[in-house]
Amino acid sequence: MSSNSSNSSASLPIGVFDSGVGGLTVLRALKKALPHEDFLYLGDTARLPYGTKSGATVARYALQTTRVLVDQGVKLLVVACNTASAVALPGLAEAYPDLPVVGVIEPGARACALKAPHGRIAVIATGSTVRGAAYQTAILRLRPEATIATRPAQVFVALAEEGWTEGPEVEAVAARYLTPLMAEFPEGRPDCLVLGCTHFPVLAEAIRKALPEGVCLVDSAETTAESVAQELDRRGLLKPGSGAGRPVGTVRFFATDDPERFAKVGEIFLGQPLDLADITLVDL
């Protein structure tokens, strides 16, 4: 479809939800890829982390958060949470058959499947994502011959939320995680390393320093933003208008608990200050 489609839905914002603030790395990538689009972001901060909950509970939470965004009016939903992307997409598709939904796992899997010439792929994520094998399943669907090694890197989450994103201490943690993971591949070098948690992109530079030369770093936030742009274009849902004078899109934030902490920690992941006045507290 043409990006100039007259579809009235094209003027609606894009909805994004996560269990907390990590999904703001996805929003950051979306804003960069689609600077003129409007966004609604919901962080379910009252019930994080999703990774410690059962799949049925996460699927229920995803439906509840999506309802808030749908009631506001959105043209596409981004599930900016690895845990929810792994378990909640079928339920969302059933509940909202006319709403396009993009998760963070499939785009990352597609990117590394294309960028791994020898099919050697490493994945770091939270413990729950690793145990659920969502990335492994998605990658093997595309590259059945792939060799995949995974490692949980939970400490990265805490470092990211504290704003400790660089320096010798962070690099030491990265080396502690990645050195044994690299050793699982021939010559100690996979083709790609997938950042399988939305917290991890803010640590990308420290992670790169712990990798052998030539290993491709796949940022699931960036790959998700690319998929969203393609999906909007395919459906004729890109925001109307063109030209240098187009205004930059707006963002409205929703949190289910403690907007002040959301603003403080969220700044790390979004890469810019968050105004408390822009955050609405919602009760699910």
Side-chain angles (χ1 to χ4, degrees):
M1 289 186 183
S2 167
S3 61
N4 293 321
S5 168
S6 60
N7 188 332
S8 60
S9 297
S11 296
L12 292 174
I14 298 166
V16 185
F17 86 79
D18 181 36
S19 60
V21 295
L24 290 170
T25 60
V26 179
L27 178 61
R28 183 177 184 174
L30 286 164
K31 282 165 52 66
K32 182 178 179 181
L34 298 160
H36 306 296
E37 295 285 349
D38 300 320
F39 296 93
L40 304 181
Y41 181 96
L42 193 155
D44 191 8
T45 45
R47 303 188 295 196
L48 61 78
Y50 280 7
T52 60
K53 312 295 192 299
S54 70
T57 296
V58 172
R60 185 174 74 253
Y61 288 177
L63 286 169
Q64 292 169 347
T65 55
T66 298
R67 168 50 63 189
V68 173
L69 296 172
V70 168
D71 286 348
Q72 293 288 325
V74 294
K75 62 184 176 183
L76 180 144
L77 177 71
V78 181
V79 182
C81 170
N82 283 272
T83 301
S85 294
V87 302
L89 298 190
L92 292 172
E94 181 179 354
Y96 304 102
D98 298 325
L99 178 67
V101 179
V102 177
V104 292
I105 291 174
E106 288 292 338
R110 283 197 301 271
C112 65
L114 290 171
K115 295 178 180 180
H118 304 101
R120 300 169 185 169
I121 299 166
V123 181
I124 53 173
T126 61
S128 62
T129 300
V130 169
R131 288 191 299 273
Y135 275 98
Q136 298 95 304
T137 300
I139 292 166
L140 290 172
R141 192 182 302 124
L142 299 166
R143 293 284 298 270
E145 83 287 3
T147 300
I148 305 168
T150 62
R151 183 157 299 255
Q154 196 67 38
V155 173
F156 280 162
V157 175
L159 289 173
E161 293 198 356
E162 289 293 336
W164 298 351
T165 60
E166 58 186 358
E169 296 87 357
V170 181
E171 291 170 16
V173 173
R176 182 75 174 266
Y177 279 134
L178 295 174
T179 299
L181 180 60
M182 297 299 101
E184 296 189 37
F185 293 92
E187 302 174 352
R189 180 184 297 135
D191 299 316
C192 296
L193 173 69
V194 181
L195 302 182
C197 172
T198 54
H199 281 66
F200 295 175
V202 298
L203 302 167
E205 289 309 309
I207 290 170
R208 285 184 194 280
K209 291 180 180 179
L211 294 175
E213 186 176 351
V215 177
C216 171
L217 199 62
V218 175
D219 180 345
S220 57
E222 291 182 356
T223 58
T224 298
E226 292 168 5
S227 290
V228 169
Q230 292 166 4
E231 188 68 9
L232 290 174
D233 188 39
R234 186 179 73 82
R235 292 175 176 266
L237 288 174
L238 288 166
K239 190 176 179 181
S242 61
R246 293 178 67 190
V248 174
T250 62
V251 184
R252 292 169 57 202
F253 299 94
F254 301 88
T256 56
D257 185 50
D258 200 352
E260 290 188 7
R261 175 166 173 77
F262 180 92
K264 180 180 178 181
V265 180
E267 179 178 337
I268 299 166
F269 296 89
L270 192 58
Q272 65 184 64
L274 277 167
D275 189 337
L276 194 58
D278 293 333
I279 304 170
T280 302
L281 183 65
V282 294
D283 184 5
L284 301 180

